Structure formats: structure tokens, C-alpha cells
Amino acid sequence: VTGAVSSCRRYVAGGRCKSTAKLEGKVVIITGANTGIGKETARDLARRGKVIIACRDISKGEAAASEIQAETGNQQVVVKKLNLADTKSIREFAEKFLAEEKELHILINNAGVMLCPYSKTADGFEMHLGVNHLGHFLLTFLLLERLKQSAPARIVNVSSLAHHGGWIRFHDLHGEKSYNRGLAYCHSKLANVLFTRELARRLQGKFQRQAEVTANSLHPGSVYSDLVRHSLVMTWLWKIFSFFLKTPWEGAQTSVYCAVAEELESVTGQYFSDCQPAYISPRGRDDETARKLWSVSCELLGIQWD
């Protein structure tokens, strides 16, 4: 029985990042790294280089940072305030970062909300779309020049297997006509995959054979974390089936892999799960939708990103 239990656990745990790549002198930003898989990603990368934890809750962020500093001996774990539900906060974060840091090598768009009751961001966007997609879209836009200057650099977008259940409802992006919180999450995760695809295409440019800044997305696995806190039912299910869920450390492995693995140096526009390429839904491979989502996102955010 013990053997069966441990092999079941191993199966649930999934792939592991085996890279020992060091990030000396390199700078990493991880959004939402005060908890869950973001925190575990920060813990791993802090053993390799400088990590900036960008999160809304500064006191939780500080607690995570001092825990990671104590464990890794790396004092270069810094907390900066970033509220992805408010474009003003995103712009302030980017402005401060660009003034203080001359380089940025890895941007991990990890933060996310899931199963929220219907609500809107400070700018009037539906919460899932606003935080999970538009907030990270704007953040990436504001930091892209610094990533290019620091190249080779990587952008890692944490999506989900849930993207298979999503579609981009251009006629009702903010769920004002109809809203289902499970589907809203799926739609936003599909947006992550489409954004990554279109971003990678643009970064490869017309003349470059390989992108100096790569962009990949990933599914971390079903992870036992507080992401389901908005749903009582899911919270209970998560508790009951915790044995069949990844720990946050296991869930962070693919994020770490996409951020550091040497073999991904020139890989871009891909989607990973368990530290290997994974199947993207047909909707996630639709280039026309990806382009349309890009221009609609720019319009909503009032930016020009060509």
C-alpha cells in the first residue's frame, strides 16, 4: 500500500525543474509572490539571483520576503507594492522600478484571482479579465523596453489548463450581460495563452530568427493554495482531495523551469505543463483572436503597442 501511495504522490507531483542555472547579477520580478506558487517560485529563484516580489498586500509580502531571506541567505529579496486591479498602481510600480533598477531579465506574471463574485477593477474591468489579463498586459508593456535592453530576457505567463474551457467574448468582455465566475476564470486564462502567443510573434520580429526576449505560458497543475478562497465549495473540495493536488512547491516547478532552463533559451510562444510542452486548445491557437484581443486590450488600457 505504501508503495502505491508514494507512486500516486509522485504522479501527482509531476515534473521537476532540474536546472541549476544561477542568476547572478540578474533581476527577476514575480507578481503575487507573497503566497502560493508565486512564493515558492520566489524561494527557488532567490537561491539564484535578485528577486522582486510585486504584490498588493505589503505586510504579507514582507513576511514572505524575510522568510525567504532567512532560508536562502539572499538579502536581495525586495517587496514592492503592485495592485493589478488598478492601472494607476501598475504605472506607479513600473515607474519606480525603472527609476531604481537598470536591468530586468525575467518577468513572471504569476498573480491571479479565481472564482470571484462579480466585481470590477478600479478601471471598470471585470475582475478576472482585469487582474489576470489586462493588468499583466499593461505591466509587460511598461517593462518591455527594460527587458529588451537586458536581453536575453524571458517573460513567463502563468495560465492554466482551465484555458480549454474559455473563449474570448468580445461582445461581453466585462460580463455585464451574463456572468459565471468559473467561466470568467477560464476566459482570463485563455487570454493569457493568446497574449503570450501574440507577444512572442511580435518579439520575434520580421528579421530576427530568434527572439532576444522570449514569452511562454504554462499550467502549474492543480495546486493546493488559497486561490480558491472565494468559493466555499472549492475550499472544501480542495481540503478533501488535497492528497491529489500539488503542493505549492510542486506547482512552482514549471514556472521556475520556464524562467531558467537552459534548453528554453530560444524557445518562445509555447505552453508548458510539468516542465514539458503541453497541448494548447484550438481557441488558444487562434491567431486572429489573439490579434483582436491585443488591439482591444490596448484600446481598453489607452495604450499604443505596435
Side-chain angles (χ1 to χ4, degrees), residues 256-274:
V256 173
Y257 174 74
C258 289
V260 302
E262 296 86 343
E263 65 268 30
L264 298 188
E265 206 171 299
S266 55
V267 173
T268 191
Q270 300 300 309
Y271 169 74
F272 294 85
S273 176
D274 280 328

Side-chain angles (χ1 to χ4, degrees), residues 195-264:
F195 167 46
T196 305
R197 190 177 179 87
E198 181 62 11
L199 178 60
R201 189 184 71 78
R202 287 162 178 260
L203 288 170
Q204 267 178 305
K206 297 183 183 77
F207 312 107
Q208 274 171 272
R209 267 205 11 258
Q210 104 186 33
E212 280 151 16
V213 180
T214 61
N216 291 299
S217 63
L218 67 104
H219 167 55
S222 298
V223 179
Y224 190 64
S225 75
D226 64 353
L227 191 59
V228 294
R229 64 186 174 273
H230 293 292
S231 164
L232 199 60
V233 176
M234 287 295 278
T235 305
W236 272 104
L237 286 172
W238 246 226
K239 279 204 172 82
I240 294 163
F241 294 108
S242 62
F243 180 80
F244 299 103
L245 297 170
K246 288 186 179 190
T247 63
W249 183 84
E250 290 160 354
Q253 293 300 303
T254 307
S255 295
V256 173
Y257 174 74
C258 289
V260 302
E262 296 86 343
E263 65 268 30
L264 298 188

Side-chain angles (χ1 to χ4, degrees), residues 47-245:
R47 294 194 171 92
R48 307 169 192 253
K50 177 168 184 172
V51 174
I52 292 168
I53 291 176
C55 62
R56 194 182 53 201
D57 189 328
I58 289 289
S59 57
K60 271 191 188 169
E62 295 289 5
S66 41
E67 183 189 313
I68 292 168
Q69 285 167 350
E71 194 180 309
T72 61
N74 180 2
Q75 294 313 298
Q76 288 195 300
V77 181
V78 185
V79 181
K80 300 278 180 214
K81 186 167 177 61
L82 170 67
N83 179 2
L84 287 157
D86 184 351
T87 58
K88 192 164 156 278
S89 168
I90 299 168
R91 288 179 180 281
E92 278 167 12
F93 169 86
E95 208 172 295
K96 276 193 187 141
F97 173 82
L98 295 171
E100 290 164 13
E101 298 286 343
K102 293 294 157 257
E103 294 192 299
L104 174 59
H105 303 89
I106 300 167
L107 170 62
I108 303 179
N109 290 318
N110 161 84
V113 293
M114 181 181 181
L115 304 173
C116 303
Y118 189 74
S119 55
K120 286 186 167 178
T121 67
D123 303 86
F125 309 140
E126 186 276 314
M127 194 59 76
H128 292 89
L129 187 81
V131 171
N132 299 354
H133 168 61
L134 292 168
H136 283 129
F137 187 95
L138 179 61
L139 181 66
T140 306
F141 167 75
L142 296 170
L143 299 176
L144 191 62
E145 278 315 305
R146 190 57 41 97
L147 283 156
K148 284 180 177 171
Q149 289 158 11
S150 315
R154 301 184 187 192
I155 297 163
V156 178
N157 293 325
V158 179
S159 177
S160 166
L161 185 68
H163 86 270
H164 286 272
W167 64 98
I168 306 298
R169 303 167 69 244
F170 289 110
H171 65 287
D172 188 22
L173 270 182
H174 304 295
E176 286 157 331
K177 298 189 180 108
S178 73
Y179 180 74
N180 172 300
R181 53 192 185 169
L183 285 176
Y185 177 71
C186 295
H187 303 333
S188 71
K189 293 288 114 181
L190 173 61
N192 293 154
V193 172
L194 290 167
F195 167 46
T196 305
R197 190 177 179 87
E198 181 62 11
L199 178 60
R201 189 184 71 78
R202 287 162 178 260
L203 288 170
Q204 267 178 305
K206 297 183 183 77
F207 312 107
Q208 274 171 272
R209 267 205 11 258
Q210 104 186 33
E212 280 151 16
V213 180
T214 61
N216 291 299
S217 63
L218 67 104
H219 167 55
S222 298
V223 179
Y224 190 64
S225 75
D226 64 353
L227 191 59
V228 294
R229 64 186 174 273
H230 293 292
S231 164
L232 199 60
V233 176
M234 287 295 278
T235 305
W236 272 104
L237 286 172
W238 246 226
K239 279 204 172 82
I240 294 163
F241 294 108
S242 62
F243 180 80
F244 299 103
L245 297 170

Side-chain angles (χ1 to χ4, degrees), residues 194 197-198 201 283-292:
L194 290 167
R197 190 177 179 87
E198 181 62 11
R201 189 184 71 78
R283 285 195 189 108
R285 296 194 300 267
D286 186 331
D287 291 330
E288 201 178 314
T289 305
R291 278 194 287 274
K292 187 174 176 185

